[in-house]
Amino acid sequence: MNRMKILVTAVLVVMALAVPASSETISLSLEKGWQTVSFGFYPDSVDDFKAQLAQNQIQIFAYNKSKGYSEKVTTPQTGRPYWLFVKEAVSFSVGGEKVVPADSTMAALAGWNMLANPFWLEADLLCRSKIGGQPFADSSAYIFTGGEYSATTTIPIGGAFFLKVGQTTNLEIFTSSIYECGDGVYTVACEFCDEGGLNGQPGRCNT
């Protein structure tokens, strides 16, 4: 199988990609079968990384919205979302520089989008993101795991996800919570998302 159809109409555009950190050994573990991933690091040697992927019989596909299906990729790029097909579960290491977490803005077109976690940090959409300038309050993000799509608001390091929007907009992913506890109105998201701002009652957000 060299093509896999997916119901998306746009691909992630990283408008403000974070810078790399210092080089180190990065361990990768991939499950058998299809999975959605992103590479949140810059390999020291692209050729060596490609050779390891080929050696482990790992196939990479990127969505081409103009054609409506995914095409095979020979040179994966940092911060892009991909489908991977892994013949057998495998773990290996690669030298590289992790993408330093930094606030990032991504374009999402109307309809389904296949997006990537752009940096080396878990992306918490509920607590650390905004869509169209508003807090992310819709559980319409999905990841592909175990042969099925699962709704989530937490995107792991190295993960890619699907997001549906009604109209073209921007998705902002931050490195810290957008909520701060205070004396304002109780908000469930504030209760779970406040990151140590002990200036008020938990669950009551400053306005």
Side-chain angles (χ1 to χ4, degrees), residues 39-103:
F39 298 106
F41 63 91
Y42 298 91
D44 290 338
S45 171
V46 175
D47 289 339
D48 288 348
F49 182 41
K50 290 167 59 178
Q52 286 184 301
L53 293 173
Q55 179 181 349
N56 289 293
Q57 298 181 301
I58 299 170
Q59 299 181 67
I60 304 176
F61 299 83
Y63 181 69
N64 185 323
K65 74 170 185 176
S66 65
K67 296 182 179 180
Y69 55 74
S70 293
E71 295 184 310
K72 195 169 184 179
V73 172
T74 57
T75 305
Q77 299 180 27
T78 300
R80 295 282 182 175
Y82 295 108
W83 279 102
L84 256 65
F85 181 77
V86 183
K87 189 172 183 179
E88 296 292 341
V90 64
S91 296
F92 60 95
S93 298
V94 58
E97 300 177 347
K98 297 176 182 177
V99 177
V100 176
D103 296 347

Side-chain angles (χ1 to χ4, degrees), residues 92-202:
F92 60 95
S93 298
V94 58
E97 300 177 347
K98 297 176 182 177
V99 177
V100 176
D103 296 347
S104 300
T105 301
M106 311 169 188
L109 304 184
W112 283 102
N113 294 259
M114 184 180 185
L115 310 177
N117 181 347
F119 40 59
W120 202 267
L121 176 71
E122 183 179 82
D124 186 337
L125 300 182
L126 179 64
C127 301
R128 300 197 302 262
S129 77
K130 290 183 178 182
I131 186 164
Q134 300 298 316
F136 189 95
D138 188 357
S139 59
S140 58
Y142 297 84
I143 57 175
F144 187 81
T145 58
E148 63 180 7
Y149 295 91
S150 302
T152 185
T153 56
T154 302
I155 313 303
I157 293 172
F161 62 102
F162 299 94
L163 176 68
K164 186 177 183 180
V165 295
Q167 59 185 10
T168 298
T169 186
N170 287 332
L171 172 66
E172 300 170 278
I173 297 181
F174 305 102
T175 59
S176 60
S177 177
I178 63 173
Y179 298 97
E180 180 184 64
C181 288
D183 299 319
V185 178
Y186 176 82
T187 304
V188 173
C190 184
E191 180 175 2
F192 289 99
C193 300
D194 184 70
E195 296 180 349
L198 302 177
N199 59 336
Q201 301 180 45

Side-chain angles (χ1 to χ4, degrees), residues 20-32:
S22 57
S23 181
E24 58 186 287
T25 299
I26 298 170
S27 298
L28 301 176
S29 294
L30 301 172
E31 299 177 357
K32 179 179 178 179

